[in-house]
């Protein structure tokens, strides 16, 4: 299995990490399909610049295209945008995320169920490379760095994405562990310093460690439980007042490090539930075979059944196919929407207004508006794209 998580303390797009990225990409069992999650820095005015910087690094240093799973502000994203984001994650085998704010990322990612998607991707032999702020989010417990370091909040833990649970690990991840930018004040341990880290450690359950990763250092954990330290610095484990340090080049395992704290099913024994005869699976097969009528029939039935989440996913997949140049979006969707309009008209004629409203609301959740007038019902995209 090539499934692994790579946690970088910093330097994710620096020359020092090129060799690490290349090794991770080379270990993939299928050609790289790399995507960047832009949520960690989605609030920043230079978000576009940061995306371009990451894409340039991958193109020039790694000779790999880097797509974008974009979710900069979840509450402003419509159903189609959320579905596109999910689809980008589900179709990738190398998922990269980096600098920004851990708490901002968590607030947005939790809203769209990203943790579950990422955990399931690990069970599909995907590599997750999370650095800096993104690395903070991977544990069960997450430090809200900005709130503590910048805004002066008393130290507290946030609920992380808990991605390490896939490997049976319950922990808090702290990158920038050896940071010394403060010069005259302590900025180690992701800028919060020793005093505040000790306050946080006192709030952790017994036996739960802090996994500290130095700058320009990477720690990988794979499906077999192998742990490797790469780059320039140390892996540090702090647990119940004890400190253990492991230099670059160390090859360890989860059990010997005492990290197998949880009783979750190990990744190597996990299987992903496969859809066998669902409408969504039939839709995917029809779309892949360019059987447009069948695909539209499955989508229409799903909308009529009020299965909003499934319909959103289908529309996202259809939208991606159309963006790839399959055919004009509106031309392909029009036969489907005419069928939906007929279904709704029949429900209204039968005075089944609950069914009529369910169809209208289900379509709206997929980013399409039905508009009634004296001339009849028409449809349009909720957004202008």
């Amino acid at each position: 299995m090539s499934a692994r998580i790579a946690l970088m303390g910093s330097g994710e797009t620096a020359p020092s990490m090129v060799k690490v990225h290349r090794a991770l990409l080379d270990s993939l069992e299928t050609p790289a399909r790399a995507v960047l999650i832009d949520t960690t820095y989605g609030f920043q005015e230079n978000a576009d610049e940061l995306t371009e910087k990451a894409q340039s690094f991958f193109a020039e240093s790694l000779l790999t295209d880097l797509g974008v799973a974009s979710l900069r502000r979840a509450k402003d994203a419509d159903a189609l945008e959320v579905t596109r984001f999910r689809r980008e994650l589900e179709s990738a085998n190398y998922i990269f995320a980096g600098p920004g704010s851990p708490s901002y990322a968590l607030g947005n990612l939790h809203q769209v169920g990203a943790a579950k998607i990422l955990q399931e991707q690990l069970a599909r032999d995907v590599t997750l490379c999370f650095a800096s702020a993104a690395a903070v989010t991977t544990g069960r417990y997450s430090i809200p760095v900005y709130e503590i370091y910048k805004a002066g909040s008393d130290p507290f833990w946030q609920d992380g994405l808990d991605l390490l649970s896939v490997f049976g690990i319950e922990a808090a991840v702290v990158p920038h562990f050896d940071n010394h930018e403060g010069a005259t004040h302590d900025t180690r341990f992701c800028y919060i310093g020793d005093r505040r880290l000790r306050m946080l450690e006192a709030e952790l359950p017994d036996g739960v460690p802090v996994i500290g990763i130095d700058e320009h250092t990477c720690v990988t954990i794979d499906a077999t439980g192998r742990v490797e330290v790469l780059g320039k610095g140390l892996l540090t484990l702090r647990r119940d007042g004890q400190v253990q340090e492991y230099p670059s080049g160390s090859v360890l395992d989860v059990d010997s490090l005492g990290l197998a704290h949880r009783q979750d099913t190990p990744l190597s024994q996990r299987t992903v539930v496969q859809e066998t005869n669902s409408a969504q699976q039939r839709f995917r097969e029809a779309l892949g075979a360019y059987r447009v009528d069948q695909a539209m029939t499955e989508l229409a039935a799903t909308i009529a059944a009020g299965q909003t989440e499934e319909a959103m996913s289908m529309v996202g997949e259809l939208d991606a196919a159309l963006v790839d140049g399959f055919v004009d979006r509106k031309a392909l969707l029009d036969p489907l929407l005419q069928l939906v309009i007929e279904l709704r008209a029949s429900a209204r004629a039968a005075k089944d207004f609950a069914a009529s409203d369910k169809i209208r609301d289900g379509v709206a959740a997929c980013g399409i508006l039905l508009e009634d007038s004296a001339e009849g019902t028409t449809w349009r995209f909720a957004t202008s794209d």
Side-chain angles (χ1 to χ4, degrees):
M1 299 177 72
S2 61
R4 63 168 49 82
I5 191 165
L7 306 171
M8 293 182 176
S10 77
E12 54 275 0
T13 57
S16 60
M17 289 290 104
V18 169
K19 185 177 180 180
V20 175
H21 279 292
R22 283 180 176 164
L24 293 170
L25 289 165
D26 288 345
S27 72
L28 297 174
E29 295 180 356
T30 57
R33 170 70 169 85
V35 300
L36 165 70
I37 298 175
D38 65 2
T39 314
T40 52
Y41 56 83
F43 64 97
Q44 296 183 207
E45 293 297 318
N46 66 336
D48 288 340
E49 179 183 333
L50 292 174
T51 295
E52 291 171 5
K53 178 182 177 182
Q55 289 178 318
S56 295
F57 171 78
F58 268 70
E60 296 169 9
S61 299
L62 305 174
L63 303 179
T64 300
D65 291 333
L66 182 66
V68 182
S70 186
L71 185 77
R72 294 189 181 179
R73 192 176 179 85
K75 72 176 185 179
D76 294 336
D78 61 31
L80 268 180
E81 290 169 330
V82 172
T83 302
R84 289 174 190 161
F85 172 76
R86 290 172 173 167
R87 187 181 184 279
E88 286 294 330
L89 296 183
E90 291 169 349
S91 63
N93 61 0
Y94 193 86
I95 302 175
F96 175 58
S101 165
S103 53
Y104 182 83
L106 289 170
N108 286 275
L109 294 174
H110 278 314
Q111 284 189 52
V112 299
K116 180 180 178 182
I117 295 172
L118 293 170
Q119 290 169 10
E120 290 177 347
Q121 283 298 83
L122 281 171
R124 293 187 174 100
D125 287 358
V126 168
T127 291
L128 270 59
C129 181
F130 278 35
S132 302
V136 177
T137 70
T138 60
R140 168 66 181 83
Y141 306 93
S142 177
I143 297 176
V145 178
Y146 276 47
E147 288 77 357
I148 297 173
Y149 177 57
K150 295 289 188 180
S153 296
D154 290 335
F156 67 98
W157 292 109
Q158 283 186 304
D159 289 333
L161 297 176
D162 204 16
L163 304 182
L164 295 182
S165 67
V166 173
F167 304 93
I169 298 171
E170 182 174 8
V173 176
V174 183
H176 297 284
F177 209 67
D178 61 341
N179 181 273
H180 293 291
E181 291 179 19
T184 58
H185 64 282
D186 189 1
T187 54
R188 292 173 299 164
F189 317 136
C190 206
Y191 305 101
I192 66 171
D194 185 64
R195 180 181 66 84
R196 288 180 288 198
L197 179 60
R198 289 181 182 277
M199 293 171 66
L200 286 169
E201 287 176 312
E203 300 300 319
L204 290 173
D206 292 343
V208 173
V210 166
I211 299 175
I213 306 170
D214 285 355
E215 297 182 335
H216 296 275
T217 304
C218 179
V219 174
T220 66
I221 307 170
D222 71 17
T224 68
R226 174 188 169 100
V227 179
E228 188 170 3
V229 185
L230 307 165
K232 295 184 175 181
L234 304 174
L235 159 66
T236 302
L237 297 183
R238 289 178 47 143
R239 176 173 38 211
D240 299 332
Q242 302 297 313
V243 178
Q244 299 168 292
E245 296 180 339
Y246 304 91
S248 178
S250 298
V251 179
L252 313 153
D253 64 80
V254 167
D255 289 331
S256 66
L257 292 173
L259 291 176
H261 187 75
R262 294 166 70 148
Q263 300 303 312
D264 301 49
T265 303
L267 180 62
S268 59
Q269 298 176 20
R270 292 189 180 199
T271 57
V272 179
V273 176
Q274 301 292 333
E275 297 171 277
T276 55
N277 195 34
S278 68
Q280 190 163 0
Q281 182 65 19
R282 294 192 298 272
F283 170 84
R284 288 172 177 166
E285 291 173 356
L287 193 61
Y290 300 99
R291 297 195 299 270
V292 177
D293 291 346
Q294 182 182 341
M296 296 302 97
T297 299
E298 296 294 348
L299 178 51
T302 301
I303 294 171
Q307 297 172 333
T308 303
E309 286 294 322
E310 291 82 355
M312 285 171 57
S313 179
M314 288 179 178
V315 171
E317 293 180 41
L318 176 61
D319 182 69
L322 300 177
V323 169
D324 288 342
F326 179 25
V327 72
D328 178 71
R329 290 173 66 196
K330 192 170 183 66
L332 179 59
L333 284 175
D334 188 64
L336 162 70
L337 269 301
Q338 294 306 322
L339 174 59
V340 170
I341 288 169
E342 289 178 16
L343 289 171
R344 181 166 174 262
S346 296
R348 296 177 74 181
K351 300 189 183 301
D352 188 352
F353 298 111
S356 172
D357 290 346
K358 178 180 279 190
I359 292 172
R360 179 200 62 207
D361 294 343
V363 170
C366 297
I368 294 170
L369 301 181
L370 299 182
E371 298 180 329
D372 298 317
S373 69
E375 289 74 30
T377 301
T378 57
W379 69 273
R380 66 178 177 85
F381 293 113
T383 55
S384 59
D385 54 18

